Amino acid sequence: MSARLILRKLAVLLFLAPVWLSGCLKAVTVDGDYLRGPVSFARPEGWRVLRNYRWLGGSHVILDSREMNASLAVELLPAGKKADDLPMGLLAEIIVGNLGRSHGVETLVSAEYNVVLADRLAIAMVGTRRHGPRLCDFTALVARTSDKLLLLHLFSPPGTIQTFAPVMETVMNTLTLPGEPVPPTNMELP
């Protein structure tokens, strides 16, 4: 191998070393009981930040409550041109129905609603998910931003999803997208 090629490889390694050593960047910073970042919201009482990272243009925050055996995920994901062309209801069905599908997770949606999330019209779905012998209830909300998809998922033990309505209300009522333009006031489904 030539000295020039070795120097190039060394330069690339030195350039990428800080990224590898620092791990993934944080999606949000914790400011007391408020999480601030591309997706900002109040952390429900008794819930801890389990995962917090930015990766491939997306922001991923996962909270959990050990006492209640539940988890809550807030994600801001890049959306492609194909996502813009789909009706919101169909897009939500595709996203929620395919979460974990490649790992054998089956999703059964029992109800679907239109709601407002971060000043945007969103589709809310409730139902159950099964992975082998394990079963859980879920609530999932999907909304569009200018070029991303906003997802909010809550997973809980069977028969307990109603217990978490105050948790969802806390997050939904405080969730903002500081880096996104304010949507038009017309709240019709595209």
Side-chain angles (χ1 to χ4, degrees), residues 1 5 27 38 59 77-79 84 101 111 144 147 151-152 160 165 171 183:
M1 199 176 327
L5 184 58
S59 298
L77 306 171
D84 290 341
R101 185 175 176 190
R144 281 191 175 108
D147 64 344
L151 282 77
L152 175 61
T160 64
V171 175

Side-chain angles (χ1 to χ4, degrees), residues 156-180:
S156 71
T160 64
I161 202 72
Q162 289 298 335
T163 307
F164 298 99
V167 171
M168 288 298 284
E169 286 178 21
T170 296
V171 175
M172 288 177 67
N173 291 337
T174 61
L175 194 132
T176 60
L177 301 167
E180 291 289 328

Side-chain angles (χ1 to χ4, degrees), residues 23-28 37-38 52-61 76:
C24 296
L25 299 171
K26 301 275 187 214
V28 295
N52 176 13
Y53 62 92
R54 283 187 290 159
W55 184 251
L56 299 175
S59 298
H60 313 274
V61 179
L76 191 59

Side-chain angles (χ1 to χ4, degrees), residues 5 11 15 23 56 71-72 97 132 166 189:
L5 184 58
F15 177 75
L56 299 175
S71 66
L72 174 75
L189 278 173

